[in-house]
RNA sequence: GGACGCUUAGCUCAGCUGGUAGAGCAUCUGCUUGACGUGCAGAGGGUCAGCGGUUCGAGUCCGUUAGCGUCCACCA
C-alpha cells in the first residue's frame, strides 16, 4: 500500500478539506426517516453580533459529540442550527456605529433604521456560523434558522395572540426596570446586581409646624425630588406622636406626610424611610397603600424632568452631587457614611437600572409556571446535573410576571394596534384595517418590540416549522437534549419549557445537559473588559479543532466551571499526534491489497487480550455517552488508545510483523486494522477530523466514518480467561523493567531470563515479548530454577531469575527481597485480619469476600516465592 | 438573609450507585529500541480541609465547622 502519512499530524490541512467533504456529500442533512428513532438537538442560537468564544466552543463541542454518536448509533439524528437577533445588543451596536457617523435613530426613522439593521445582519450574521464550522459542528445547515426569519416571526405573532386571547398577556402600568442607556425596559432576569461602594446620606426633614425635624438616611438623595411621604413603623415608640404630621421636603418645599407602614424595619438605621413611589418598587407599594401621589422626576435617558424644578435638565448623577451640596449648605445634611450596597445594573451595558413606572406588556407567569414545574418534578424533563433542578424550582416558584415589551426597534414588533378614537386595543397576527371595536381606520401599531427571549423561548418548535404542522415538527418534536450553560437557565431554558408545554402540550426536551463556564488560568471569568479571553479560533489554529474539542470535553465534571490552560490543549494535540503515528505505523506495514477490517479466525493470546480490552471500552464508552458522561467516556478512550493500543499492543505486534511468518504477519495486521478502525469510530464523536482522515486512509468499507455504525459490544470478544493469563505476562514484563531501571541497567544490555511459573503454557507462548519488551537475550520457562547470584523478581504468578552476576550486589539484593517480603506480609496480615472478622464475612457481599480471599491466596504464594529467593542467596 | 458548589499528589482536575486513591502537566532517573522526543521505560510525591456520626468497611452517605466561589432575595 502506497499511502503515506506525514510524520506529524497537520490539522490545518486536514480540517477544511474534511469539513467540505462532509458538507458536499450532504452528511449533515437529515432526511426524515420514520423507521428510525428521532434524536433532536436545537442549538442555542448565538447572537448575530457575536464572535465565537470558549463558551460557544464548549457548548457546540458537546452537542456535536452527542449528535455524531446518535447518528452513528442509527438514530434519525437532527441538529438544528441558527442565530438570534439579540435585540438590545444588536441595536446598541448599530446605534453606536451611527453615532460615529453623527446620526441618531430618531433622525433617520424606524424604517431606515431597520434597513440598516438588516444590512448589518446580512453582513455579520453569518460570521459566527462560519466559525462554528471550524469546530466541526455537524449541524443541518439546510435547516438553519434565524429568530427573525419569516417562520419564527410568524410563531412569535401566533404565540402573542394566543396568550393575549387567553388573558396571559396583558398591558399595564407597573414598576419596571429601566435602563437609561439602552433606553428601554428590561425584565427582572436581565438585572444583574453588583456590589458597589456608596454612601448613606443622613438628612433632616423638618416638620411643617416648626416642631423640629425627623432624621432619615438614603443612598439615592436625588430621588428626594420625587418624595411624597416619609414612613415609620406603626409600632415604633420613637415616632408614635409623629405619625400623620406633615414635613417640608428640603430643597423642594413640598409638604409630605409621615405615614406608618410595616414595611419599615424599626431596627435598621434611623427607622425612617423616605418614600419615592415613582422610583422604588417598595416605595411604590407603600404609596399604593397610603394613596400617595406618584411623582416621576427622571426622563427616559436619565436626566431630571420638569418635576425636578430647578434641577431639570441635569443628569441624575450630577443632580445627586448638586443636591448633596445644597443640603449641606442649607444645613439639612447631618452626616455621610460609607455604605456598600447592591446596585441593579443592566446585563447588557451595566449601567445602573432605574425602577420606573411605565406602561408595558407582561406575560402572566403563574398559570404557565405551574405545569413547567410539574414536568421537571415528574421527570419528563431532567436536568444533568440534577442539582440545577433546585435552582429551576426556586425560580419558577417565585416567578413574577415577565415584562416583554422593549422600547427598541430591532426585534419583533408587538402585534397590537391602538384606536385613536375609542382607545380599543386590537391584537392580531395580520395588520388590521380598522379598530376591532368601533371600526375606526385611525389605528396605530404599538411601537415597541418584544424581548429577545420571547422568540428564543419558542426555538424548539418554531425552528421545526410551527405554527404550521410540518412533517419535521411531527417527527422531531419534542426534541431530545438541550445543551447549555447554567447561566441561561432562567433566561432561556425555563421559558422554553413553559412555552413548549403551553403551545405544543409537550415539554420541549427530555434532558437538559448543563455545563459550566470556561475561565482563564487564574480562574477568572473571561471578559472583554479584563481582556483575558482566549480566542478558540486561535487555539484551533495552534492545536487543531480536535485538540480543542478534546480539551473542552474532558477533565471536568458536568456543570462545573473549568479553567482553560494552554498546556491542556497541548496535551490534547500530543494525543492527536500519538494516534496519527499509531495509524502511520499500521499503514506502513499493510499489504497492497489489505482486506477490509475483520477479525481473523486464528487469534493469539495478545490478540484476544486487546480485543477483550476493546470490547470493554465499547461498552463503557456507549454507557457513558448514553448517560451524558462525556468527559469520562473520552478519558477512557484516551487511556485505551495510549496505553493499551499504542504502548502495548502495537509493540507486541512488532514481534510478528518483524518476523518471517507471512500468516502471522497477516494475522497481526488484520487485528491491528480492525482494532484501530473500530477505535476511530468510538473516538469520532469527540475528534471528528483526525478520525475521518485516518479511517479514510486505512482499509475501510463505506464512504465516511461519520455515517458508519458505532461499534457494539460483542459476547464473542469477551476473552476473560486470555485476558487474565496475558496480564500475568505483562506483570512479569513490568516487574523486570522496573527492576532493571532501579539497577540502572540500560536496555542495550541484554540478559538471559528464567521464569519459574505454574502457567508454563502462557509464558512459553509469550517468550518473544520478554525479548522485545524486557531486554531478554534468551527466555527459559520452567517449574523452578536454582541459579547462583541471580536477580530474583517475584510477581503473583511467576518468579523470574536474571543472572547478571557482575551487577548483583547480593547483600543489597537480599535487603530488597526482605523489604518486599515485609510489605507483602503486612499486606497479608491486614487481609487476614479482615477475613477473620466475623462481621465482615457475614455482612459484606460474597464477591467482595471472595476477592479478598483470592488476593490473600496469591499473596501467600508470592511470599513463598520471595522466601525461596532469599534462601537461595543464603 | 436563603440556596448551591468547591476544598484529593507541587499545579490543573477526574473519581458513577461506599470495597485497600487516579490522570495530565511539573520534578527526578535511564533510553539516538526505524510509528511517534508532540516519544519510550521507570521513580518520587496524597492521614482525599477539620471534627463527629452511620457502617464489617467512608474520598464516596449523614451532621457540623472553616476557607473560597456562584446564584437568588434585598433594608431605605
Amino acid at each position: 500500500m502506497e499511502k503515506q502519512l506525514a510524520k506529524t499530524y497537520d490539522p490545518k490541512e486536514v480540517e477544511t478539506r474534511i469539513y467540505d467533504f462532509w458538507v458536499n456529500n450532504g452528511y449533515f442533512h437529515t432526511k426524515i426517516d420514520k423507521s428510525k428513532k428521532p434524536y433532536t438537538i436545537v442549538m442555542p442560537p448565538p447572537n448575530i453580533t457575536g464572535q465565537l468564544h470558549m463558551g460557544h466552543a464548549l457548548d457546540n463541542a458537546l452537542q456535536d459529540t452527542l449528535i455524531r454518536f446518535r447518528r452513528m448509533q442509527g438514530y434519525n439524528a437532527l441538529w438544528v442550527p441558527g442565530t438570534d437577533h439579540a435585540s438590545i445588543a444588536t441595536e446598541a451596536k448599530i446605534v453606536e456605529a451611527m453615532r460615529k457617523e453623527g446620526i441618531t435613530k430618531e433622525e433617520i426613522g424606524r424604517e431606515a433604521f431597520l434597513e440598516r439593521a438588516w444590512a448589518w445582519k446580512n453582513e455579520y450574521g453569518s460570521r459566527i456560523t462560519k466559525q462554528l464550522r471550524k469546530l466541526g459542528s455537524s449541524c443541518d445547515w439546510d435547516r438553519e434558522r434565524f429568530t427573525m426569519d419569516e417562520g419564527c416571526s410568524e410563531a412569535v405573532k401566533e404565540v402573542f395572540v394566543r396568550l393575549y386571547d387567553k388573558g396571559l398577556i396583558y398591558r399595564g402600568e407597573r414598576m419596571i426596570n429601566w435602563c437609561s442607556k439602552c433606553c428601554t425596559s428590561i425584565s427582572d432576569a436581565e438585572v444583574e446586581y453588583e456590589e458597589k461602594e456608596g454612601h448613606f446620606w443622613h438628612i433632616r426633614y423638618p416638620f411643617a409646624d416648626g416642631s423640629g425635624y425627623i432624621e432619615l438616611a438614603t443612598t439615592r438623595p436625588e430621588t428626594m425630588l420625587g418624595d411624597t411621604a416619609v414612613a415609620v413603623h406603626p409600632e415604633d415608640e420613637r415616632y408614635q406622636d409623629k405619625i400623620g404630621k406633615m414635613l417640608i421636603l428640603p430643597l423642594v418645599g413640598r409638604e409630605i406626610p409621615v405615614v406608618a407602614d410595616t414595611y419599615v424595619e424599626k431596627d435598621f438605621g434611623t427607622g425612617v424611610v423616605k418614600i419615592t413611589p415613582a422610583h422604588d418598587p417598595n416605595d411604590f407599594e407603600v404609596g399604593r397603600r397610603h394613596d400617595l401621589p406618584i411623582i416621576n422626576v427622571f426622563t427616559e435617558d436619565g436626566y431630571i424632568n420638569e418635576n425636578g424644578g430647578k434641577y431639570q435638565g441635569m443628569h441624575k448623577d450630577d443632580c445627586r452631587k448638586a443636591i448633596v451640596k445644597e443640603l449641606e449648605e442649607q444645613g439639612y445634611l447631618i452626616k455621610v457614611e460609607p455604605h456598600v450596597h447592591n446596585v441593579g445594573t443592566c446585563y447588557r451595558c451595566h449601567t445602573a437600572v432605574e425602577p420606573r413606572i411605565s406602561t408595558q406588556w407582561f406575560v402572566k407567569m403563574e398559570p404557565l409556571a405551574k405545569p413547567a414545574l410539574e414536568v421537571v418534578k415528574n421527570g419528563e424533563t431532567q436536568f444533568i446535573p440534577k442539582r440545577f433542578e433546585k435552582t429551576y424550582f426556586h425560580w419558577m416558584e417565585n416567578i413574577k410576571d415577565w415584562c416583554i415589551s422593549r422600547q427598541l426597534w430591532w426585534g419583533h414588533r408587538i402585534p397590537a394596534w391602538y384606536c385613536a378614537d375609542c382607545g380599543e386595543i386590537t391584537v392580531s397576527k395580520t395588520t388590521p384595517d380598522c379598530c376591532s371595536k368601533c371600526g375606526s381606520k385611525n389605528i396605530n401599531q404599538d411601537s415597541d418590540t418584544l424581548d429577545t427571549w420571547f422568540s428564543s423561548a419558542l426555538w424548539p418548535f418554531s425552528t421545526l416549522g410551527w405554527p404550521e404542522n410540518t412533517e419535521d415538527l411531527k417527527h422531531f418534536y419534542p426534541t431530545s437534549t438541550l445543551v447549555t450553560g447554567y447561566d441561561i437557565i432562567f433566561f432561556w431554558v425555563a421559558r422554553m419549557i413553559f412555552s413548549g408545554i403551553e403551545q405544543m402540550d409537550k415539554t420541549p426536551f427530555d434532558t437538559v445537559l448543563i455545563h459550566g463556564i470556561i475561565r482563564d488560568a487564574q480562574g477568572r471569568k473571561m471578559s472583554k473588559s479584563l481582556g483575558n479571553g482566549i480566542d478558540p479560533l486561535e487555539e484551533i489554529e495552534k492545536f487543531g479543532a480536535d485538540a480543542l474539542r478534546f480539551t473542552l470535553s474532558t477533565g471536568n465534571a458536568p456543570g462545573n466551571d473549568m479553567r482553560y490552560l494552554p498546556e491542556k490543549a497541548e496535551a490534547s494535540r500530543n494525543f492527536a499526534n500519538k494516534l496519527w503515528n499509531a495509524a502511520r505505523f499500521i499503514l506502513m506495514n499493510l499489504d497492497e491489497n489489505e482486506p477490509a477490517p475483520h477479525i481473523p479466525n486464528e487469534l493469539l493470546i495478545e490478540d484476544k487480550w486487546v480485543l477483550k480490552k476493546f470490547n470493554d471500552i465499547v461498552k463503557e464508552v456507549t454507557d457513558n455517552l448514553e448517560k451524558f458522561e462525556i468527559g469520562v467516556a473520552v478519558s477512557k478512550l484516551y487511556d485505551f488508545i495510549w496505553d493499551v493500543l499504542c504502548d502495548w499492543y502495537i509493540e507486541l505486534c512488532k514481534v510478528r510483523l518483524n518476523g518471517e511468518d507471512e500468516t502471522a504477519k497477516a494475522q497481526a495486521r488484520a487485528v491491528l486494522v480492525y482494532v484501530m478502525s473500530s477505535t476511530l469510530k468510538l473516538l469520532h464523536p469527540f475528534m471528528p477530523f483526525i478520525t475521518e482522515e485516518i479511517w479514510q486512509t486505512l482499509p475501510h468499507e463505506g464512504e465516511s466514518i461519520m455515517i458508519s455504525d458505532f461499534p457494539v459490544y460483542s459476547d464473542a470478544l469477551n476473552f476473560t480467561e486470555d485476558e487474565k493469563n496475558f496480564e500475568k505476562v505483562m506483570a512479569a514484563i513490568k516487574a523486570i523493567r522496573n527492576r532493571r531501571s532501579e539497577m540502572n541497567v540500560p536496555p542495550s544490555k541484554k540478559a538471559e531470563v528464567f521464569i519459574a511459573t505454574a502457567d508454563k503454557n502462557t509464558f512459553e507462548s509469550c517468550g518473544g515479548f520478554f525479548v522485545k519488551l524486557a531486554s531478554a537475550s534468551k527466555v527459559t520457562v520452567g517449574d523452578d530454577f536454582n541459579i547462583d547470584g541471580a536477580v530474583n523478581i517475584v510477581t503473583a504468578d511467576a518468579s523470574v531469575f536474571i543472572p547478571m552476576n557482575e551487577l548483583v550486589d547480593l547483600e543489597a539484593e537480599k535487603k530488597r527481597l526482605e523489604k518486599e517480603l515485609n510489605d507483602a506480609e503486612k499486606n497479608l496480615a491486614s487481609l487476614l485480619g479482615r477475613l477473620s472478622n466475623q462481621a465482615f464475612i457475614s455482612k459484606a457481599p460474597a464477591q467482595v469476600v471472595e476477592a479478598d480471599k483470592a488476593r490473600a491466596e496469591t499473596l501467600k504464594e508470592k511470599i513463598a516465592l520471595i522466601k525461596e529467593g532469599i534462601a537461595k542467596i543464603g
Side-chain angles (χ1 to χ4, degrees), chain A residues 26 205 235 239 241 361 372 380 490 576 660 667 696 701 833 837:
Chain A
Y205 280 23
E235 282 150 30
Y239 303 111
D241 57 329
W361 288 90
E380 282 174 56
F490 305 141
E660 299 300 321
Q667 180 189 32
Q696 294 283 355
E701 278 170 338
N837 179 346

Side-chain angles (χ1 to χ4, degrees), chain A residues 204-484:
Chain A
R204 67 183 106 213
Y205 280 23
F207 286 103
D209 59 9
S211 61
Y213 64 89
I214 200 163
E215 179 185 341
L216 54 79
T218 179
T219 55
R220 298 193 301 159
E222 69 282 7
T223 62
M224 69 183 285
L225 298 174
D227 283 2
T228 52
V230 157
V232 297
H233 192 95
E235 282 150 30
D236 194 330
E237 324 70 59
R238 292 173 291 179
Y239 303 111
Q240 284 304 313
D241 57 329
K242 309 289 194 292
I243 296 166
K245 288 181 76 170
M246 297 305 280
L247 296 159
I248 305 282
L249 185 59
L251 311 186
V252 178
R254 182 163 58 236
E255 281 200 21
I256 57 173
V258 176
V259 299
D261 198 288
T262 49
Y263 153 69
V264 182
E265 282 196 30
K266 282 190 289 185
D267 302 329
F268 187 85
T270 57
V272 184
V273 185
K274 67 186 216 43
I275 301 297
T276 321
H279 298 294
D280 182 279
N282 292 309
D283 291 8
F284 179 74
E285 293 304 320
V286 174
R288 260 234 271 250
R289 286 195 285 272
H290 299 273
D291 207 18
L292 300 171
I294 296 167
I295 301 175
N296 172 26
V297 297
F298 297 132
T299 64
E300 291 181 350
D301 52 355
Y303 289 84
I304 306 300
N305 69 10
E306 67 282 1
N307 294 326
K310 64 173 179 180
Y311 301 100
Q312 183 177 356
M314 210 179 257
H315 189 270
K316 59 183 187 181
D317 295 343
D318 300 326
C319 178
R320 173 178 297 182
K321 287 175 201 151
I323 285 194
V324 168
K325 188 162 171 264
E326 281 192 54
L327 285 172
E328 194 173 6
E329 283 167 2
Q330 297 184 26
Y332 291 112
L333 189 66
I334 298 166
K335 62 175 171 178
V336 186
E337 287 175 334
H339 179 62
V340 178
H341 61 148
N342 279 338
V343 178
T345 65
C346 171
Y347 84 130
R348 281 293 166 207
C349 68
H350 290 277
T351 47
V353 297
E354 201 65 60
R356 182 184 173 86
I357 293 164
S358 108
T359 302
Q360 303 285 346
W361 288 90
F362 296 87
V363 174
K364 197 171 169 185
M365 284 309 306
E366 206 228 304
L368 294 168
K370 255 183 114 179
L373 277 165
E374 190 50 34
V375 293
V376 177
K377 283 193 169 141
N378 69 20
E380 282 174 56
T381 291
Q382 59 155 349
F383 282 69
I384 293 175
K386 208 164 175 54
R387 72 182 126 98
F388 289 104
E389 291 181 0
K390 214 167 171 174
T391 317
Y392 172 84
F393 291 147
H394 184 257
W395 193 73
M396 273 293 189
E397 279 160 6
N398 296 289
I399 197 158
K400 286 189 261 172
D401 287 355
W402 174 19
C403 175
I404 51 170
S405 44
R406 297 289 177 276
Q407 289 63 55
L408 300 167
W409 287 350
W410 177 242
H412 302 95
R413 193 161 173 182
I414 291 175
W417 285 261
Y418 306 108
C419 178
D421 294 329
C422 74
E424 175 72 4
I425 302 173
T426 305
V427 169
S428 163
K429 277 182 74 180
T430 51
T431 307
D433 311 321
C434 59
C435 170
S436 58
K437 193 177 175 195
C438 72
S440 162
K441 301 265 180 200
N442 197 3
I443 54 170
N444 292 301
Q445 187 172 4
D446 194 310
S447 61
D448 288 355
T449 53
L450 289 163
D451 183 359
T452 295
W453 299 100
F454 191 90
S455 55
S456 27
L458 320 179
W459 195 241
F461 46 95
S462 65
T463 51
L464 294 173
W466 192 89
E468 303 294 320
N469 191 17
T470 60
E471 290 303 308
D472 269 8
L473 193 66
K474 282 188 261 183
H475 188 58
F476 294 113
Y477 191 92
T479 71
S480 312
T481 310
L482 182 88
V483 182
T484 196

Side-chain angles (χ1 to χ4, degrees), chain A residues 99-238:
Chain A
R99 196 188 58 80
K100 283 180 185 153
E101 290 174 45
I103 29 177
T104 68
K105 256 169 75 170
E106 288 71 20
E107 277 165 26
I108 62 167
R110 187 169 193 131
E111 235 165 86
F113 177 83
L114 287 177
E115 255 172 52
R116 275 175 176 261
W118 277 104
W120 197 91
K121 188 263 168 190
N122 291 332
E123 193 178 344
Y124 295 107
S126 59
R127 180 175 60 188
I128 191 138
T129 53
K130 280 188 191 129
Q131 293 171 333
L132 287 173
R133 287 169 167 86
K134 294 264 180 211
L135 280 167
S137 308
S138 65
C139 30
D140 189 347
W141 296 110
D142 298 340
R143 282 186 172 84
E144 183 181 345
R145 298 300 297 270
F146 174 54
T147 47
M148 269 172 74
D149 66 24
E150 214 178 304
C152 288
S153 302
E154 200 54 30
V156 165
K157 281 186 261 182
E158 179 73 30
V159 169
F160 190 95
V161 173
R162 282 191 187 192
L163 292 178
Y164 180 79
D165 289 345
K166 280 183 85 170
L168 293 175
I169 279 184
Y170 66 89
R171 186 170 185 256
E173 191 175 56
R174 297 283 185 286
M175 179 147 289
I176 48 87
N177 307 293
W178 183 267
C179 175
S180 59
K181 183 159 178 222
C182 301
C183 249
T184 179
S185 56
I186 55 175
S187 68
D188 294 340
E190 287 167 315
V191 178
E192 274 180 11
Y193 288 89
E194 290 172 11
E195 224 172 53
K196 283 188 179 163
E197 302 241 343
H199 302 277
F200 250 146
W201 282 277
H202 289 250
I203 306 168
R204 67 183 106 213
Y205 280 23
F207 286 103
D209 59 9
S211 61
Y213 64 89
I214 200 163
E215 179 185 341
L216 54 79
T218 179
T219 55
R220 298 193 301 159
E222 69 282 7
T223 62
M224 69 183 285
L225 298 174
D227 283 2
T228 52
V230 157
V232 297
H233 192 95
E235 282 150 30
D236 194 330
E237 324 70 59
R238 292 173 291 179

Side-chain angles (χ1 to χ4, degrees), chain A residues 765-833:
Chain A
S765 70
C766 292
F769 300 142
F770 287 86
V771 175
K772 173 84 182 110
L773 304 174
S775 304
S777 54
K778 186 177 174 221
V779 182
T780 311
V781 179
D783 293 308
D784 196 12
F785 297 98
N786 202 344
I787 301 160
D788 279 342
V791 175
N792 182 208
I793 301 151
V794 182
T795 69
D797 301 285
S799 183
V800 180
F801 298 91
I802 307 179
M804 288 194 289
N805 302 24
E806 71 278 21
L807 286 164
V808 180
D809 173 343
L810 282 182
E811 266 318 296
E813 188 63 6
K814 196 174 168 186
K815 267 191 186 155
R816 187 187 63 78
L817 282 171
E818 274 164 356
K819 183 182 180 296
E820 224 173 291
L821 180 65
N822 192 269
D823 290 348
E825 278 175 338
K826 250 196 233 162
N827 218 329
L828 180 65
S830 110
L831 266 177
L832 291 178

Side-chain angles (χ1 to χ4, degrees), chain A residues 38-52:
Chain A
Y39 179 82
T40 317
I41 296 179
V42 291
M43 174 190 291
N47 294 350
I48 49 168
T49 57
Q51 291 250 53
L52 193 78

